[in-house]
Amino acid sequence: MRTEYRQARIVDPLHPDNGRTTSVFIDGQHIAVPPPGGNSTGQWSENIIDLGGALFLAGGIDIHTHIGGGKVNLARMLLSDLPEADRSVWPTRRTGELYNRMGYTTCFEPAMLLPTARHTHLELADTPNIDSGAYVVLGNEDWLLKALGENIEDAALDSLVAWAVQSSGAMAVKVVNPGGISAFRFNQRRLDVDQNHCAFGVSPREVVRRLSASADRIGLPHPLHVHASNLGVPGNVRSTISTLQASEGRPIHLTHAQFNCYGDAGKYSMSSGAEVLAKYVNEHKNVSLDIGQVVFGQTVTISADTQAQFNNRTHASPKKWTVNDIGCSAGCGVVPMRYQDKKYVHSLQWCIGLELMLLIEDPWRVFLTTDHPNGGPFTCYPHLIRLLMDKSFRRDHIAKLHADAAAETLLREVDREYTLDEIAIATRAAPAQILQMHDRGRVTPGALADFAVYRQNSDWESTFTSAEYVVKSGQTVIAGGQPTGTHVPCQTLSAATQLDATVIHKHRAKLEQALQQPIGRIAITATEMDDILRDGTLASYRSPSETAGAHRGN
Amino acid sequence: MPPNVSECCYCSLLCSTTSDMEDCPRRMRVLGQPQAPLQSFDAELLPRLLSIAKDERPLIWVDSADVGTMRQVVRFAESCDATVHIGQSTGTKIQKRIAASEGWLGASLNEAALHADLVISLGDSLAAELPQLAKMLATPAGAAKTQLHIGSTDSTEFGKSIVLPREQWYAGISQLLHHLRDKHNAPAVSPQLAQLGNAIKASRYAVVAWQVDEFLDEIDELLLRRLSELARFRSQSARLALLSIDPNPGRVTAHETMLWATGFAPTATFSNGSWHPRKDLLTAKLDEFQKAHSSILMLRTTCSGAPLPAIAADLALLPQRERKLAPESVKHTFGVPSIGDKRSGLLFRGDNSLVLHCQRTAPEEASPAAADLLAEASQAMTAAQRDQVQGHAE
């Protein structure tokens, strides 16, 4: 079906007509090249929607949001008695609808465990009208840590990593507290970046170094996605920098950076490390990060980092929690949290997230997230957008914070206001680029017809809260701000990898011992993904870099 | 003789085949059930389903289901504003209550097999419900481990046996906890409990394991709360985690699927376009369920050999080989292909840490699966509602 959207004000830095009001032509599932003669008489399509100058952006892409899998389900179970207004974890259909309402059309679950990958994909498949994918968690498996401790050859490591990605249908590899979750199983309560695991003799630095190199060599579309050591610990900005240095110049992505950006100075022995981290990121083009912004109110923290969540349990609000070791590879800790602006630590966290967004200069390397739901629900993104774009609004909020926290950061002094283009980059174009998804994140001809139309209101929060139109793969899912009831077949996005089967065969016994299952039972085939888990198509992305050791840059 | 199979889902361990599987007593028990004659397709089946759907307050009672069937249960319920209830283990409810009031430290089967240096199993029904568990826990390649078993009878399947009458389990664990906390002032414990205490003190990572149907009443809840307290206390200096295993994979699967699809479990009603939890039915007995609903569909798609609740369902969709288990109160029973037998399906393992695709081991039957029937009924209901709306509009 063809449609012309007239009077669309383009907000896409990659579009030649960016900032101008023009027509966008949709043909089937894609954005079409404008017909040579235009469509003034409806000759190309009689289906014409006049947008009257409304903002026209690509569909939003959330690169890090916990929306599917066992830990999310545990959170649903634990918090099902909370009032609706306090809920930050919803059933899958509601999650899809809420994302669509905000104009988002692609999302990535960042913590998929190999044994429970099917569960993750099932939930993503049941989240309607968004393409989705997941990152497989590696870096705490007995078999992997043992291999690293024994200095496994690069080629063999690459095959094992590729096998994990392929078997789980993952888009990328995430490492969570490298080696630390495993160390906790051995009752090692702390594992700093250059400390050795008591059983396997390998340090987090080494885990990050080897895995980031492997992710690069095997051509994964996304750099190693790192939940760094010492999450939440005052002073952790130092170990965070060490973690980033472990990649030795290769691309590396630091996730929910706010939680790893603390100094230990001041009256409370906890201060902002944003200036230090931002400086490092500005100087090192191989580093990207997503924020993990904290939002005041009730939410729930869900993480594979059992070590951190075990420590976090004393702060649970309400007082309920569950922390579980899962499958010898990672864990799952669910601890509800209520962030309060009158508490020093929470106020400081709020400031640090915004500091990072505002101090890091390159909008192509910093992504707006709340690490949903850990910092707050994703439904708060419009509020965060306003905080970034409107310094007066921001300062009004700073005035309500714990006074000492505000004084500990630079936030009051920062004048920068994000432009509309920068918001489009941080929430659309840059996520597409960092995941090497060349068909989305833009509204140029040839792109997927995934876009959102916003009527500009008196403030940016109300503008971005509810899109007037949202189109997914050419089909309208939101019209007039309301769901249309259309169900669009969506895709599971995953990385195409190659591996040496002889390596897997050689390691088969160790893998099967660790997984306690034949590896053939764990692996998800393309047919299973299509026929059983989802009714769409399995879209595979392959990095354009085919040469081993080639570095990807922006 | 049991058929030659590649996988087994007759308990929640979801074992892959070995020659040992064919000697598994649970599998033999399920496969050895006397079977009703094969049922030919019933043309009244869809009308019966639609009749339930069109009734005022329909209830779908799910005894067990694979993911695919449960997805269709949810869609069917949404097409007719029904209530869905998963016949849940009381033991699972207890665990939820403890997590919601005190917190919960858990582990998985793999952890117990490979990392734990002490596994304490608890209960008299573990071997019967999960016959292959002992073998899994005693994985020789795992960490050298001590295995102790607390039960009311002597049993060597799970390691060294600590025999305690069931009515003393709570008191025993309480004494042990006091002893571990304050060995100087706590009363002396029996030699058996002292042995247990010493083993815990010497361990780096201990797991206490049981199967959920073992613990059902208020005293049992107190016992589990004590174990939770033990886990929290011990975890301050070493690691101790709890592993409760639901022996029924279809029950775990139904619960997980319902939770992500509706946001609630085990009981929720779809009305006014959204799902609502049914706290009023949390502690309801069978007859209260009966009174609250005008029509009932009962559903089971995995074989377990377990009896079904004596609820007067209008229609029960049960595995073909378990039709004889239908209570007399059920008005109509129809046999459907069961998962792992004549239908493939996705099931969760009983410790919730693994999801596997259990493949069918026999040729697919012509008779429809429960998921197919529910899908057809949902479509019919949705079409009828659309026609009704269009009719009003005209």
Side-chain angles (χ1 to χ4, degrees), chain B residues 79-363:
Chain B
S79 73
C80 59
D81 285 3
T83 297
V84 177
H85 172 75
I86 298 166
Q88 197 180 23
S89 157
T90 310
T92 306
K93 291 183 197 171
I94 293 174
Q95 188 177 327
K96 283 184 191 174
R97 281 201 291 272
I98 297 173
S101 59
E102 300 172 5
W104 187 267
L105 284 162
S108 68
L109 272 169
N110 285 21
E111 300 294 340
L114 295 172
H115 278 147
D117 54 1
L118 171 63
V119 176
I120 303 166
S121 50
L122 176 59
D124 295 328
S125 58
L126 210 48
E129 293 302 316
L130 299 163
Q132 302 296 326
L133 180 63
K135 202 182 300 184
M136 282 182 75
L137 292 177
T139 306
K145 66 163 72 81
T146 302
Q147 284 188 267
L148 298 170
H149 179 73
I150 302 172
S152 57
T153 57
D154 195 11
S155 158
T156 54
E157 279 206 49
F158 291 95
K160 192 172 161 62
S161 199
I162 295 174
V163 180
L164 274 181
R166 191 188 173 93
E167 58 271 16
Q168 289 181 20
W169 292 354
Y170 169 66
I173 297 295
S174 297
Q175 287 165 22
L176 176 67
L177 183 56
H178 288 145
H179 180 74
L180 287 170
R181 273 191 166 138
D182 185 1
K183 57 183 181 226
H184 301 296
N185 295 323
V189 292
S190 68
Q192 288 194 100
L193 289 178
Q195 176 194 26
L196 188 55
N198 289 338
I200 291 173
K201 279 188 283 190
S203 71
R204 172 185 51 76
Y205 192 126
V207 172
V208 182
W210 66 91
Q211 69 93 4
V212 294
D213 290 331
E214 183 83 48
F215 301 115
L216 301 173
D217 62 26
E218 291 90 355
I219 299 295
D220 292 339
E221 178 159 351
L222 290 176
L223 167 65
L224 292 183
R225 284 186 183 273
R226 275 283 185 246
L227 286 175
S228 177
E229 204 179 333
L230 174 64
R232 293 196 307 278
F233 167 72
R234 182 66 186 154
S235 294
Q236 291 170 32
S237 54
R239 299 295 313 278
L240 192 150
L242 307 174
L243 172 58
S244 70
I245 308 168
D246 190 328
N248 186 334
R251 192 165 57 186
V252 181
T253 305
H255 185 268
E256 288 293 314
T257 310
M258 183 173 176
L259 203 44
W260 83 64
T262 70
F264 305 106
T267 319
T269 300
F270 188 78
S271 67
N272 295 324
S274 61
W275 284 94
H276 307 275
R278 293 299 299 273
K279 294 177 187 174
D280 56 314
L281 294 174
L282 263 180
T283 51
K285 306 261 187 310
L286 280 179
D287 58 344
E288 289 166 286
F289 268 100
Q290 197 80 66
K291 282 182 200 151
H293 299 95
S294 48
S295 59
I296 299 175
L297 167 68
M298 183 187 283
L299 181 64
R300 173 190 277 189
T301 64
T302 59
C303 292
S304 62
L308 284 151
I311 200 163
D314 296 89
L315 175 65
L317 299 177
L318 306 177
Q320 193 71 260
R321 65 169 65 249
E322 295 198 338
R323 275 200 301 124
K324 282 201 163 190
L325 293 177
E328 283 180 13
S329 50
V330 172
K331 298 189 183 87
H332 299 283
T333 306
F334 187 74
V336 291
S338 65
I339 303 304
D341 185 10
K342 289 175 181 161
R343 269 297 192 274
S344 303
L346 286 159
L347 290 172
F348 282 69
R349 194 168 69 181
D351 65 340
N352 250 341
S353 71
L354 189 63
V355 184
L356 291 174
H357 184 220
C358 294
Q359 304 193 45
R360 59 182 169 79
T361 52

Side-chain angles (χ1 to χ4, degrees), chain A residues 73 76 91-93 116 119 126 142 184-185 187 189 321-325 327-328 513-515 521 532-533, chain B residues 7 14 71 78 99-100 103-106 108 110-111 114-115 204-205 235 237-239 256 260 346 348 353:
Chain A
N73 235 13
R76 290 184 183 108
T92 46
R93 191 167 64 189
T116 56
H119 184 173
D126 283 356
D142 288 0
F184 188 44
R185 285 180 170 79
N187 203 27
R189 300 272 162 155
W321 53 269
T322 172
V323 175
N324 304 282
D325 289 323
C328 300
Q513 183 210 323
L515 294 164
R521 280 185 109 200
I532 296 158
L533 303 183
Chain B
E7 310 182 329
L14 304 182
R71 276 166 152 173
E78 289 172 350
W104 187 267
L105 284 162
S108 68
N110 285 21
E111 300 294 340
L114 295 172
H115 278 147
R204 172 185 51 76
Y205 192 126
S235 294
S237 54
R239 299 295 313 278
E256 288 293 314
W260 83 64
L346 286 159
F348 282 69
S353 71

Side-chain angles (χ1 to χ4, degrees), chain A residues 136 138 143-144 147-148 151-167 173 207-220 224 250 496-504 507 511 542 546-550:
Chain A
V136 64
L138 290 178
W143 55 269
L144 181 64
L148 292 174
N151 207 19
I152 185 174
E153 287 174 7
D154 284 349
L157 176 63
D158 292 352
S159 283
L160 289 172
V161 171
W163 170 82
V165 169
Q166 201 176 88
S167 296
V173 171
V207 173
V208 170
R209 186 181 77 81
R210 297 294 308 269
L211 286 181
S212 63
S214 184
D216 199 39
R217 283 192 302 266
I218 65 178
L220 289 180
L224 185 67
R250 278 176 292 270
T497 56
Q498 289 172 2
L499 55 88
D500 181 351
T502 57
V503 168
I504 305 306
H507 285 82
L511 290 171
R542 180 118 183 103
E546 298 281 335
T547 308

Side-chain angles (χ1 to χ4, degrees), chain A residues 125-350:
Chain A
D126 283 356
T127 306
N129 296 340
I130 58 167
D131 287 340
S132 52
Y135 313 151
V136 64
V137 173
L138 290 178
N140 281 282
E141 298 63 33
D142 288 0
W143 55 269
L144 181 64
L145 292 175
K146 191 163 189 296
L148 292 174
E150 291 168 355
N151 207 19
I152 185 174
E153 287 174 7
D154 284 349
L157 176 63
D158 292 352
S159 283
L160 289 172
V161 171
W163 170 82
V165 169
Q166 201 176 88
S167 296
S168 59
M171 185 67 165
V173 171
K174 180 189 184 192
V175 64
V176 178
N177 186 4
I181 304 173
S182 169
F184 188 44
R185 285 180 170 79
F186 291 86
N187 203 27
Q188 188 175 1
R189 300 272 162 155
R190 192 176 157 81
L191 187 70
D192 212 340
V193 180
D194 290 305
Q195 232 179 315
N196 278 346
H197 188 296
C198 61
F200 299 114
V202 64
S203 68
R205 181 188 291 274
E206 185 66 1
V207 173
V208 170
R209 186 181 77 81
R210 297 294 308 269
L211 286 181
S212 63
S214 184
D216 199 39
R217 283 192 302 266
I218 65 178
L220 289 180
H222 183 58
L224 185 67
H225 197 93
V226 180
H227 162 144
S229 311
N230 298 321
L231 183 117
V233 176
N236 62 9
V237 70
R238 291 186 288 271
S239 62
T240 300
I241 303 277
S242 297
T243 300
L244 296 175
Q245 288 168 340
S247 74
E248 296 176 338
R250 278 176 292 270
I252 185 168
H253 182 89
L254 176 68
T255 191
H256 40 70
Q258 174 274 126
F259 289 108
N260 273 92
C261 191
Y262 307 142
D264 52 9
K267 188 163 88 173
Y268 300 85
S269 300
M270 184 169 172
S271 53
S272 171
E275 195 181 3
V276 168
L277 183 56
K279 182 170 185 290
Y280 185 89
V281 173
N282 286 335
E283 291 171 357
H284 294 83
K285 308 294 180 208
N286 62 310
V287 177
S288 57
L289 58 83
D290 65 84
I291 295 302
Q293 174 67 28
V294 148
V295 180
F296 298 119
Q298 180 69 57
T299 189
V300 56
T301 61
I302 54 181
S303 174
D305 190 348
T306 40
Q307 191 180 55
Q309 290 295 71
F310 180 74
N311 294 331
N312 225 8
R313 77 198 189 284
T314 55
H315 304 298
S317 173
K319 294 260 174 245
K320 49 173 91 176
W321 53 269
T322 172
V323 175
N324 304 282
D325 289 323
I326 304 275
C328 300
S329 56
C332 109
V334 178
V335 180
M337 195 67 59
R338 183 175 281 275
Y339 293 108
Q340 299 169 61
D341 56 6
K342 296 307 171 208
K343 285 200 165 176
Y344 173 81
V345 170
H346 298 167
S347 285
L348 186 71
Q349 290 175 309
W350 184 93

